[in-house]
Amino acid sequence: AQSVTQLDSHVSVSEGTPVLLRCNYSSSYSPSLFWYVQHPNKGLQLLLKYTSAATLVKGINGFEAEFKKSETSFHLTKPSAHMSDAAEYFCVVTWGTGGFKTIFGAGTRLFVKA
Amino acid sequence: DTGVSQDPRHKITKRGQNVTFRCDPISEHNRLYWYRQTLGQGPEFLTYFQNEAQLEKSRLLSDRFSAERPKGSFSTLEIQRTEQGDSAMYLCASSPVPVAATNTEAFFGQGTRLTVV
């Protein structure tokens, strides 16, 4: 069975400090993994994706994530948080032909303090 | 704007009424998805179309829910005899058919927020 666990429902950081949002997954298949961000009153936006190429994936706005198969993890990081990063972040697993089967994690709300 | 658009953005309805939502995907995208998102949760998959064919339906999609994509372009999601538990954000997404078995990301609309009173 496939599953996604986001280990923290809320993360609070100060502006300028590193961000770590944790995601573990379980999949019987070779999954594709994504991180999406959801700002209030806006649609989900893709941050980055892993599709079995490089294990360290760079995304938009300075975010990156590392796929670790041995740990079944796909944690999202950013070296220095900005106020505009405050949002809800979702880790997503897809599988099936062309990835139409999808599971979202429950989300992690990131708060950034001035 | 060439993104995924959903209409209406907000809908308030009385319990027992029927509602219909529309989604216009990105024009060249063959795949279209519907999700439901309740407060504090991630989106849950409801159904998926490739062109006009509905290829997958979640067990979440009860008999009161029906989705169509008659010409392989826009899609509608209808909920009959709405219940308070149907209150949620309904998200539509589209994606192209992937090339070389690489899973592609979905592009999401802003959603339709349904409130059943």
Side-chain angles (χ1 to χ4, degrees):
Chain A
Q2 279 58 242
S3 67
V4 179
T5 303
Q6 291 185 241
L7 297 167
D8 306 291
S9 58
H10 300 87
V11 169
S12 182
V13 301
S14 297
E15 192 174 22
T17 64
V19 175
L20 170 64
L21 306 183
R22 299 182 293 167
C23 172
N24 285 357
Y25 72 93
S26 172
S27 178
S28 307
Y29 307 92
S30 295
S32 292
L33 296 159
F34 302 77
W35 277 98
Y36 283 84
V37 61
Q38 188 175 39
H39 290 274
N41 299 316
K42 291 192 176 180
L44 286 154
Q45 180 185 18
L46 179 72
L47 276 179
L48 50 79
K49 65 179 180 181
Y50 165 78
T51 57
S52 76
T55 57
L56 182 62
V57 182
K58 293 189 183 298
I60 62 171
N61 300 334
F63 284 94
E64 62 182 38
E66 186 172 6
F67 174 71
K68 292 187 176 180
K69 187 174 182 179
S70 60
E71 298 175 11
T72 61
S73 70
F74 190 56
H75 300 334
L76 182 70
T77 60
K78 182 173 180 177
S80 176
H82 190 273
M83 295 296 288
S84 62
D85 295 328
E88 187 91 19
Y89 291 80
F90 294 97
C91 182
V92 181
V93 172
T94 70
W95 70 101
T97 304
F100 73 89
K101 293 183 182 287
T102 303
I103 290 182
F104 279 72
T108 299
R109 170 77 60 180
L110 176 64
F111 297 93
V112 182
K113 298 174 290 187
Chain B
D1 189 340
T2 57
V4 177
S5 63
Q6 293 187 245
D7 183 70
R9 293 288 310 280
H10 303 272
K11 178 71 177 179
I12 300 174
T13 191
K14 291 184 178 180
R15 190 173 50 188
Q17 297 293 305
N18 299 345
V19 294
T20 300
F21 310 141
R22 177 180 169 122
C23 172
D24 286 89
I26 294 171
S27 59
E28 60 268 27
H29 286 181
N30 303 88
R31 294 184 164 187
L32 186 147
Y33 312 79
W34 284 99
Y35 293 85
R36 181 173 68 188
Q37 185 177 20
T38 53
L39 202 61
Q41 298 297 316
E44 296 172 293
F45 171 80
L46 291 178
T47 190
Y48 150 68
F49 291 84
Q50 181 152 321
N51 300 314
E52 66 275 9
Q54 188 174 20
L55 298 184
E56 187 85 2
K57 290 171 61 173
S58 164
R59 285 173 291 180
L60 293 173
L61 214 65
S62 76
D63 291 344
R64 296 185 296 106
F65 287 70
S66 62
E68 294 183 342
R69 194 183 183 196
K71 297 182 180 179
S73 56
F74 73 92
S75 175
T76 58
L77 177 68
E78 181 183 16
I79 309 174
Q80 295 182 325
R81 305 180 302 283
T82 52
E83 302 173 356
Q84 287 190 319
D86 296 331
S87 296
M89 177 76 84
Y90 290 84
L91 296 169
C92 177
S94 69
S95 70
V97 175
V99 175
T102 298
N103 293 350
T104 62
E105 69 270 24
F107 294 78
F108 284 82
Q110 291 185 278
T112 294
R113 183 170 295 283
L114 173 66
T115 303
V116 181
V117 297

